[in-house]
Amino acid sequence: MRFNFKILFAFILSGSYSFSQAQIKQLKLSRVEEMANLPQPLKIIDWRLMAQNFDKTIYDFKAKGEYWPMVWIDSTNKNFDQPVIGMYTAVGDVRQGKQHNKGMFHEALANMGSVLGASLIGIDKSKQNGINYAAMLKNYFNQDTKWNIMMNNTAPEVALLGGGYGRDWWYDVYPNVLFYAIYEKYPNEKDFDWIAKNIAEKFYKADSILKGDYNYSYFDYAQMKPMKNQICAQQDAAAGHAWVLYAAYKKFGDKRYLQGAISAMTALESNEINPTYELLMPFGAYLAARMNVEQGTNFDVQKLLGWTFDGTAVCREGWGVLTGKWNGYDISGVVGSTVDHEGYGFLMNTFDAAWPLIPTVRYDPAYANAIGKWMLNAVNASRLFYPQYAPKEHQTIPQFAQVTKGVIAYEGFAKSSTFDSLYTDLKGPVAQGDGPKWVPGKNPEVSQFSVYGSGHVGIFGAIVEKTDIEGILKLDVLATDFYRNKAYPTYLIYNPYNQSKTINYKIKGSKRVDLYDAIAQRILARNVSASAKLIVSNGNSVLIVETPTGSKITKVNHKLLANGIVIDYKKK
């Protein structure tokens, strides 16, 4: 590999070969401290390739094999006069497919997640093989029911068949988070503008009505009334409201949306106990870090990250991030219940946690080591959801692995089988899924394979890149930092080893750059083209911003800018 000796000389002159005295003091997360520095067995798969293969395999209407294809066309034209693709939630789910329930039962979590995931790795889903899959997502905008937000199903006729429609708050909020992310990728898609504005208006008005009290099971966005039922109160819905409203503010410039985001975040932070329910809390942590530096707020990032990780949730008991080693396998980093059968982690939740947590580091580099260590553990353990990577003796149905075609994973894994009377001889991590429980006696065993969770793989695919040293990842901090200000390519690199390591840092563009480290707060290498050697000290991180060589550097209110673009939000 090419090496520029002038760069090495610049390293030595600047002292950039030693990162142990980073200027940004690193803050710890107690849950992450429980995780292995270098998880074992260590194997990092190619997540971008997995995302590419998922897209081309699942979106094949002519796919052959039992239970295939996984997609169909729903022509009921709910909400918009157009068809929408249906996608199985789990393999072989008897409620789904063109022949069941008029083809109407499919979930936004699957469709939106797969469209977003593919888009993140550069696949244009608005014109793929002559089909506009992005436009089809409009059917989840429930205007027929007057809710006028994105929902997990297209209509109430099928709502009671599965989880979430109009009665379980996160299921109603999260499709709008997904939509706003997709909207950034397809800003010119017909109707997306007014749909996005309608969603923002609904969320803004809902927050105004709630007046800081999110202690409800869901919100009826048609009647504009908070509601309670047997489902846990979900105060962390405030994080979802806030994320959408802040995105809307950045998109449309309406300061009401900013005030709504601040109001929702204030409501979230005011809880005295951990209100984590499903997967919205890390979006709150991300927003806290971002709004603190962009808007001058003073939200408690440490508190919200603690709620995300610690497993101290009360109503949704134990929900957080798992840690530990089960029968020789480090499983730390996956997201789910820390108490159900001593631990039950889920694939989709783990993928989706990376979305807000990785860009959090850009706005608050004090968490670079903690988030870098968590991500390494999560990326390593997540391969064990896939039948081709999990040992057969740790799977409930390894005999059906070929059904997945290498792109569909189990829904989760647990320390012991959650079926209680089935698969009791297996030792954790037990790769399994809940599909057979959804329709007892009818859903096949293969419904443990999760299409909807696997569809979010593009989040890892867009963020995770291997370096030339196994276990040292190059994480794209901008990949899921939606509606951000202009930024130069930024990467988090964490060294989990107990000694310094030298990596070959590759530049993707053709222009020469200086490598600025927002943790050490100095330039580590100047005038770099193609690649450079970087030394990362043991247990530490670099947060590299590829700054154009020759940039005009200025400092404004603790922000360091290159050509007017922020490269460091906390310059001392």
Side-chain angles (χ1 to χ4, degrees), residues 259-273:
Q259 292 307 312
I262 292 172
S263 171
M265 283 293 295
T266 302
L268 176 68
E269 190 180 76
S270 69
N271 284 282
E272 296 182 359
I273 58 173

Side-chain angles (χ1 to χ4, degrees), residues 53 57 60 63-65 68 388 400-408:
N53 288 339
T57 305
D60 180 0
K64 303 298 182 183
W68 289 80
Q388 67 268 41
F400 294 120
Q402 75 281 358
V403 170
T404 71
K405 298 191 177 184
V407 300
I408 305 174

Side-chain angles (χ1 to χ4, degrees), residues 189-201:
E189 195 60 56
K190 185 177 183 292
D191 298 319
F192 274 20
D193 275 341
W194 69 261
I195 287 174
K197 288 177 182 176
N198 269 273
I199 292 167
E201 286 297 317

